[in-house]
DNA sequence: TCTGGGGTCCTAGGACCC
DNA sequence: TCTGGGGTCCTAGGACCC
């Protein structure tokens, strides 16, 4: 038994699909997929859907025939549900282990102390069972001496029958055996570009990558690639910085449900995204110094004229007030806008984020204290009564440009009106359990 | 007809400084 | 004919991740 510190990667199985199944147990054993925003691409698949050959990221409209033929159940993404269940899973993990790094909505790394080295597999099975019991989401665990190896172990825990959701890589022989069966493209940090470079050098497996010349990797795959190689060798050198809860940049952007040609509609959409971005900014107590607006047409429509521009604007001073971000954003949009194009997407990115507490006051710009008070009141009202209870009129009433979400499930766990009912038919709601209409 | 959204890190090169 | 050397900071773009 090694005395080295170990990492466990806990990964929720087919997370979005598992969330949908939680309240529709009849879907267990059946093929299920979840779509991206605007019902564009497939972003989650049940094992049964994977077995049908449905690819991750495949456009929905290209898969529709296959989906119809096999009666695959389809869902629009429901982030209210997934976000809530994710935080419940993480909470359970935090109760069980002292060091938990939340890596994404469905993954967390645990540090297992040396005392745990006794019967590691049993310990992992207990964690798995606890999450299943408390939240109902199935998870898999991969354990190894580095995060990269833990990721690889986790893939094996999921894929290889007989592992039953747990794979502990303890002996060097077990590590090399698994690496020899792992394609370089399946290794965390090795993307398509790196796969090409490695293949040209004759490297296709994890074991080959582990043995590659360091200088070559440093030159070809940069320091990031070298870190991955060191991790394969069992030297831990990738840290997860979850102390940085505050983002360094914020983006808000969506594809339109249909082509948009009018400036008035673009103004509404951009106003909505700027409002949302400003809310996120205030939620993490930051101010933005810089604002980028972008506008683009549908790049897949090669038969239509293409347009894609962005504009960077420095703000008079760091701010998180919606109106002080809206004004320059809309001015920027007018500069970007050209008639005669069918637009697909508009968006905003906020950068140069600084903590609100460390605001650098300007000698010249007027300080808008009233704005701060107003925003605080607005955020409190929207928190208490639900998003968009109060909103800026410029974000529009009808929102005809909004994306499609034809297959959305109820927000079972975050909306009183959407609570599942036992023993009686839901009354007066169209199966979606919503009090308010989906639009405005 | 229909192809997601939101992040991070690294590097090279330019601007600028002494 | 000859034209330094070494820094830092910023930005755009590439690559990758979920």
């Amino acid at each position: 038994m090694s005395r080295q510190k170990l990492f466990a990667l806990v990964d929720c199985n087919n997370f979005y699909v598992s969330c949908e199944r939680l309240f529709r147990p009849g879907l267990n054993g059946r093929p299920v997929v979840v779509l991206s925003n605007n019902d564009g691409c497939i972003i989650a698949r049940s094992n049964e859907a994977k077995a049908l050959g449905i690819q991750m990221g495949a456009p929905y409209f290209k898969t529709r025939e296959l989906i119809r033929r096999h009666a695959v159940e389809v869902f629009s993404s429901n982030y209210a549900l997934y976000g809530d269940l994710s935080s419940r899973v993480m909470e359970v993990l935090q109760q069980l282990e002292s060091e938990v790094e939340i890596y994404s909505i469905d993954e967390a790394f645990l540090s297992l102390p040396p005392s745990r080295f006794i019967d590691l597999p049993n310990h992992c099975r207990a964690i798995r069972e606890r999450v299943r019991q408390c939240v109902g989401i199935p998870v898999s665990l991969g354990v190894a001496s580095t995060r990269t190896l833990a990721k690889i172990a986790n893939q094996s825990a999921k894929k290889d029958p007989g592992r039953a959701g747990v794979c502990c890589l303890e002996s060097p022989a077990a590590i090399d055996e698994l690496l020899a069966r792992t394609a370089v493209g399946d290794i965390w940090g090795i993307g398509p570009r790196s796969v090409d470079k490695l293949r040209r050098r004759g490297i296709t497996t994890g074991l080959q990558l582990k043995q590659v010349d360091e200088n070559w990797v440093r030159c070809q795959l940069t320091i990031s690639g070298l870190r991955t190689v060191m991790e394969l060798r069992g030297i831990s050198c990738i840290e997860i910085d979850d102390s940085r809860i505050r983002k360094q940049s914020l983006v808000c952007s969506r594809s339109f449900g249909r082509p948009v040609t009018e400036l008035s509609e673009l103004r509404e959409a951009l106003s909505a995204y700027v409002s949302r971005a400003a809310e996120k900014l205030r939620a993490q107590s930051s101010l933005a110094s810089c604002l980028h607006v972008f506008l683009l047409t549908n790049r897949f429509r090669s038969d239509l004229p293409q347009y894609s521009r962005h504009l960077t604007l420095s703000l008079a001073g760091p701010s998180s007030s919606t109106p002080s971000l809206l004004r320059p954003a809309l001015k920027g949009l007018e500069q970007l806008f050209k008639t005669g194009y069918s637009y697909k997407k508009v968006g905003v990115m906020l950068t140069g984020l600084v903590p609100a507490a460390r605001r650098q006051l300007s000698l010249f710009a007027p300080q808008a204290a009233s704005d701060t008070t107003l925003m605080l009141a607005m955020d409190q009202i929207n928190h208490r009564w639900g998003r968009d209870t109060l909103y800026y009129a410029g974000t529009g009433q009808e929102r005809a440009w909004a994306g499609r979400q034809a297959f959305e499930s109820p927000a079972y766990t975050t909306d009183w009106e959407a609570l599942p009912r036992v023993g009686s038919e839901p009354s007066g709601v169209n199966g979606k359990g919503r009090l308010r209409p989906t639009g405005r």
Side-chain angles (χ1 to χ4, degrees):
Chain A
M1 290 284 169
S2 157
R3 300 298 301 163
Q4 210 181 350
K5 180 176 166 178
L6 290 179
F7 297 99
L9 174 64
V10 184
D11 192 326
C12 301
N13 300 352
N14 313 330
F15 182 53
Y16 297 169
V17 167
S18 297
C19 291
E20 299 292 349
R21 278 175 167 171
L22 196 53
F23 293 93
R24 295 270 308 273
L27 298 176
N28 288 324
R30 293 196 41 211
V32 180
V33 297
V34 176
L35 305 179
S36 62
N37 264 316
N38 206 21
D39 292 344
C41 296
I42 287 162
I43 54 168
R45 307 157 294 156
S46 70
N47 290 345
E48 299 78 11
K50 289 175 190 172
L52 291 174
I54 296 174
Q55 294 301 306
M56 179 69 175
Y60 171 52
F61 76 93
K62 286 190 179 173
T63 328
R64 195 173 288 161
E65 177 48 30
L66 187 67
I67 283 175
R68 194 198 54 77
R69 205 162 56 237
H70 292 93
V72 176
E73 199 76 30
V74 178
F75 288 93
S76 301
S77 32
N78 178 350
Y79 288 103
L81 179 64
Y82 312 151
D84 183 60
L85 291 176
S86 168
S87 54
R88 291 174 194 228
V89 170
M90 301 307 170
E91 213 170 292
V92 172
L93 297 178
Q94 279 160 342
Q95 285 164 9
L96 295 174
E97 297 293 337
S98 53
E99 284 185 58
V100 179
E101 302 161 338
I102 298 174
Y103 177 62
S104 74
I105 193 165
D106 68 336
E107 283 170 86
F109 288 102
L110 316 176
S111 296
L112 300 184
S115 62
R116 290 276 159 65
F117 281 25
I118 300 109
D119 207 351
L120 203 52
N122 250 343
H123 183 71
C124 291
R125 282 192 281 272
I127 293 176
R128 202 168 173 262
E129 179 52 26
R130 184 80 180 151
V131 174
R132 194 203 58 75
Q133 185 190 2
C134 295
V135 193
I137 296 289
V139 300
S140 299
L141 282 94
V143 182
S145 57
T146 69
R147 293 179 180 83
T148 303
L149 287 172
K151 273 261 192 188
I152 293 170
N154 190 287
Q155 291 167 16
S156 167
K158 276 210 187 96
K159 273 194 321 206
D160 298 341
R163 297 268 196 208
V166 172
C167 171
C168 303
L169 283 184
E170 292 185 88
S171 75
I175 294 171
D176 284 358
E177 188 271 329
L178 184 53
L179 284 181
R181 292 193 283 123
T182 303
V184 281
D186 291 335
I187 295 171
W188 190 39
I190 305 294
R193 300 284 171 157
S194 303
V195 169
D196 284 348
K197 286 181 185 167
L198 289 167
R199 193 181 43 230
R200 283 199 290 275
R201 206 168 201 259
I203 295 165
T204 57
T205 72
L207 189 57
Q208 288 173 309
L209 181 59
K210 175 180 174 178
Q211 293 156 348
V212 76
D213 177 69
E214 282 173 32
N215 291 323
W216 182 85
V217 172
R218 177 68 185 80
C219 288
Q220 293 295 313
L221 308 185
T222 78
I223 188 77
S224 311
L226 184 55
R227 285 197 190 113
T228 296
V229 170
M230 298 317 277
E231 289 243 326
L232 293 181
R233 296 180 186 175
I235 300 159
S236 178
C237 50
I238 297 179
E239 302 290 327
I240 306 292
D241 189 1
D242 65 354
S243 63
R244 194 171 46 209
I245 307 296
R246 281 187 182 145
K247 308 267 189 261
Q248 302 188 87
S249 66
L250 283 177
V251 179
C252 195
S253 167
R254 298 277 185 286
S255 295
F256 300 127
R258 55 158 173 76
V260 166
T261 54
E262 299 299 317
L263 178 59
S264 60
E265 287 199 307
L266 293 174
R267 289 175 60 96
E268 278 187 16
L270 182 62
S271 299
Y273 305 150
V274 169
S275 299
R276 182 74 195 113
E279 283 172 13
K280 291 189 200 171
L281 199 55
R282 296 193 293 269
Q284 65 162 34
S285 303
S286 291
L287 307 171
S289 324
C290 211
L291 183 150
H292 314 256
V293 181
F294 51 93
L295 175 64
L296 37 101
T297 50
N298 187 345
R299 65 198 164 95
F300 295 101
R301 292 294 300 268
S302 48
D303 54 322
L304 294 178
Q306 293 290 309
Y307 183 87
S308 171
R309 294 279 186 286
H310 65 100
L311 194 68
T312 300
L313 303 150
S314 284
L315 301 171
S319 173
S320 65
S321 111
T322 304
S324 70
L325 297 172
L326 273 176
R327 278 188 294 268
L330 291 173
K331 205 177 276 181
L333 176 64
E334 263 156 50
Q335 288 181 50
L336 290 178
F337 177 75
K338 280 207 177 112
T339 46
Y341 291 99
S342 285
Y343 292 101
K344 180 66 181 170
K345 191 193 268 191
V346 68
V348 63
M349 175 155 74
L350 302 175
T351 59
L353 306 192
V354 295
R358 269 196 275 141
R359 164 186 228 156
Q360 174 67 54
L361 299 179
S362 163
L363 266 179
F364 307 108
Q367 299 306 313
S370 59
D371 259 13
T372 315
T373 320
L374 176 63
M375 291 300 111
L376 183 66
M378 215 174 138
D379 290 340
Q380 283 173 346
I381 290 170
N382 284 331
H383 182 70
R384 172 72 182 79
W385 298 99
R387 185 178 289 176
D388 283 345
T389 301
L390 269 185
Y391 60 92
Y392 276 80
T395 61
Q397 308 284 312
E398 299 300 326
R399 298 192 161 188
W401 39 266
R404 288 178 300 272
Q405 290 216 278
F407 317 100
E408 200 185 12
S409 53
Y412 298 106
T413 60
T414 53
D415 179 357
W416 287 112
E417 298 300 320
L419 277 182
R421 297 163 199 236
V422 180
S424 69
E425 284 300 303
S427 58
V429 284
N430 53 4
K432 298 195 63 168
R434 284 182 175 277
L435 180 61
R436 293 187 296 161
T438 328
R440 284 272 172 71

